[in-house]
Amino acid sequence: MVALLPAGAFSEPLLTRNQNPLTLPYGLPKPLPARLPSAGSGRFTVDVNWSNSAVLESSDDYDFTMDAESLEARLRLEHAVGSQWAAMIELPWRNLSGGSLDGFIENWHDLFGLPQGPRRKMPQDRLLIDYQQDGETLLQVDDGGSGIADIPIGVGYQAYASDVAALGAWVTVKLPVGDSDNLLGSGATDVALSVAGETRLAEKWLLFGQVDAIWLGDGDILSQYQDSFAWAGLAGVSWNAWRTLDLTVQFQANSQIFDLPVNGLSGDAVILSYGGSYRTTGGWRFDLGMSEDIEVEAS
């Protein structure tokens, strides 16, 4: 993940979430600001998430293959509306393909002794998302696509703010703009209620978190198995390591999207993200980070 955004007084969460290609179309919010823009002001972020998925699961009843890569660029605009309210819109572009990261991921896992899972059994840089149950193909995506993805819009309320802590509440509506056949959208409207908080533990430490409750509309992807509700959560800490350099570690989790026994398809996930932020004297902040699936094959 890479993000570019106007600098704040301290680092914020890394702008990423579960990058599973079958979870991305749904309205799980990315990290939202606990501290809203001040009255009359606004800010914007540009973030890029580049992810690679490799899953093989089978039993007597089903077979599931996910061999895919997604690249998403997202522009977020925020602007204060009065002293305690803010409006937000995200404009995402997403590409789903076989990609080019397979070799890099395999070398990275070898370097740090991480499990390869089924990667070495799969063709390099192939796109195939396939789910078969009782001999019937219920989902198959093997042709890449790119374009505008579903668009979230939101309204935030500054419930509390002081020099050392802040609490913001957000309602986000995800509009079904993207093509569900290419997994650019879910084909339905989702609504999320989120509470984001932060508190400064000491001069150089910031603790942050977020809780999301998401109501899922009736989508087009495996619609007979889709749940109508999901939750998500985030917790992390940032350390001001040196002047304008902050280091961040965060954990994210979300509940299943589909009521199926397949780990890589259901949506249940726990993710560790880590990285750093550099703030320039010109008023910009650059974030760089990586994520690993703690719940293996789920994200």
Side-chain angles (χ1 to χ4, degrees):
M1 79 202 72
V2 180
L4 165 67
L5 59 162
F10 212 101
S11 180
E12 296 179 352
L14 299 170
L15 287 178
T16 189
R17 63 184 178 108
N18 188 347
Q19 296 294 301
N20 184 324
L22 292 170
T23 303
L24 275 175
Y26 294 88
L28 280 64
K30 283 195 171 183
L32 292 162
R35 193 179 298 275
L36 276 58
S38 57
S41 69
R43 58 190 176 188
F44 71 90
T45 70
V46 178
D47 67 88
V48 176
N49 279 264
W50 193 6
S51 60
N52 183 283
S53 302
V55 181
L56 281 176
E57 292 187 51
S58 65
S59 73
D60 294 337
D61 301 321
Y62 66 82
D63 291 284
F64 175 62
T65 300
M66 179 183 289
D67 189 4
E69 191 166 301
S70 64
L71 176 65
E72 182 182 83
R74 186 175 293 247
L75 170 66
R76 175 189 284 180
L77 304 171
E78 304 167 16
H79 200 277
V81 181
S83 60
Q84 288 186 287
W85 296 87
M88 178 272 291
I89 184 170
E90 295 179 357
L91 303 174
W93 176 90
R94 186 179 304 141
N95 173 261
L96 181 68
S97 68
S100 59
L101 282 179
D102 285 354
F104 170 78
I105 296 293
E106 290 176 8
N107 293 335
W108 178 269
H109 284 200
D110 282 342
L111 179 64
F112 290 96
L114 300 171
Q116 292 286 358
R119 291 184 181 277
R120 299 205 187 278
K121 303 176 185 178
M122 293 179 164
Q124 288 284 303
D125 304 327
R126 172 190 64 168
L127 172 61
L128 179 62
I129 300 175
D130 183 86
Y131 179 63
Q132 300 182 26
Q133 184 171 289
D134 298 324
E136 180 183 1
T137 299
L138 301 182
L139 175 69
Q140 186 173 74
V141 178
D142 56 9
D143 189 16
S146 61
I148 299 298
D150 285 357
I151 294 178
I153 59 174
V155 175
Y157 174 70
Q158 189 72 74
Y160 175 79
S162 70
D163 291 341
V164 297
L167 187 69
W170 288 87
V171 175
T172 308
V173 179
K174 190 218 66 175
L175 303 177
V177 175
D179 182 1
S180 59
D181 290 339
N182 290 324
L183 302 182
L184 301 179
S186 68
T189 300
D190 301 334
V191 179
L193 175 63
S194 306
V195 177
E198 65 175 40
T199 183
R200 188 141 333 163
L201 299 178
E203 183 180 355
K204 292 182 175 290
W205 293 88
L206 183 76
L207 182 68
F208 55 82
Q210 181 172 314
V211 177
D212 311 294
I214 307 104
W215 287 265
L216 305 172
D218 295 331
D220 299 332
I221 306 167
L222 293 171
S223 55
Q224 66 271 44
Y225 299 106
Q226 184 204 304
D227 285 343
S228 58
F229 175 82
W231 66 266
L234 161 72
V237 62
S238 286
W239 172 48
N240 180 222
W242 179 78
R243 295 183 181 175
T244 57
L245 176 65
D246 302 323
L247 301 180
T248 298
V249 176
Q250 66 191 45
F251 288 90
Q252 290 169 279
N254 64 263
S255 64
Q256 69 179 25
I257 302 296
F258 303 103
D259 187 13
L260 287 166
V262 189
N263 192 41
L265 176 57
S266 67
D268 275 322
V270 181
I271 305 151
L272 168 66
S273 299
Y274 48 92
S277 302
Y278 177 73
R279 290 171 276 123
T280 73
T281 56
W284 294 94
R285 199 180 88 222
F286 295 85
D287 294 353
L288 178 66
M290 295 192 71
S291 298
E292 291 288 346
D293 51 341
I294 301 300
E295 181 69 30
V296 177
E297 298 183 344
S299 60

